[in-house]
Amino acid sequence: MASVIGGEAAFIGSLTELIELNWSAVDAFTAALARMSRPGDRSRLASFLSDHEHHLDELADLAQELGAPPIETPIRPKLKSKALTNGVIGDRAILEAMRHYEEDSCAAYERMILSRDGLTERARDVLRSALAVERRHRDWFLEQLDARQGLLLLPL
């Protein structure tokens, strides 16, 4: 997501990009859940999926508060991660693919916060809260990957 400096229309455009990123993450988590072998991992990923769905609600509400028309149908970009659609083998490979989503999410929220001097306090609170959640997700993936050092299998 490129940083866009400007008025409310530009901010709403940036919010739309965050919404798209969260839909992509929802789709990725849904795909990952079906492939994870450990029940504890599936439980954690389900929790992260719920967090992204919550972000979607908050971002849509924020856009509507700023005058954007309500989003009647979700913006559903194509799943960016071929790793999750091409039969990645192994939990570690899935965790690595999901870590990339969380890195992208953290970077997008950070850019949005840093590029906006005129954010309302509510908008800043929503973005900071979501960033904190995304950082926790990313950190969990990093911890899991460190604990599972070894073979990373890629699709055939």
Side-chain angles (χ1 to χ4, degrees):
M1 178 182 96
S3 295
V4 181
I5 306 294
E8 284 184 1
F11 181 69
I12 291 169
S14 295
L15 278 178
T16 300
E17 290 179 20
L18 282 175
I19 290 169
E20 291 171 352
L21 182 63
N22 275 282
W23 273 118
S24 186
V26 164
D27 289 343
F29 275 102
T30 301
L33 277 167
R35 291 172 172 80
M36 295 299 291
S37 65
R38 294 181 178 184
D41 289 343
R42 284 193 305 270
S43 175
R44 183 61 66 110
L45 266 59
S47 171
F48 292 172
L49 170 62
S50 177
D51 289 339
H52 281 279
E53 291 170 335
H54 179 71
H55 296 329
L56 284 168
D57 291 340
E58 287 185 319
L59 293 171
D61 288 348
L62 190 56
Q64 191 170 359
E65 287 171 17
L66 295 172
I71 298 172
E72 295 181 16
T73 57
I75 301 165
R76 300 293 289 245
K78 291 183 178 175
L79 185 60
K80 292 190 301 186
S81 175
K82 294 200 181 283
L84 294 172
T85 58
N86 288 342
V88 162
I89 300 170
D91 288 357
R92 189 172 191 288
I94 294 167
L95 293 172
E96 182 65 36
M98 297 310 299
R99 181 191 62 80
H100 287 287
Y101 273 95
E102 298 304 340
E103 292 285 351
D104 288 349
S105 294
C106 287
Y109 281 105
E110 287 166 356
R111 280 192 301 268
M112 187 84 165
I113 291 167
L114 292 174
S115 70
R116 301 286 171 188
D117 292 331
L119 284 178
T120 66
E121 198 58 37
R122 168 149 158 64
R124 192 170 301 282
D125 288 345
V126 166
L127 295 172
R128 284 182 179 157
S129 175
L131 175 58
V133 170
E134 296 308 311
R135 285 177 173 162
R136 283 193 300 272
H137 293 181
R138 179 199 57 205
D139 292 347
W140 183 83
F141 283 111
L142 290 171
E143 289 170 10
Q144 295 306 305
L145 289 164
D146 284 346
R148 300 174 198 199
Q149 290 297 320
L151 184 61
L152 175 63
L153 298 175
L154 300 175
L156 302 174

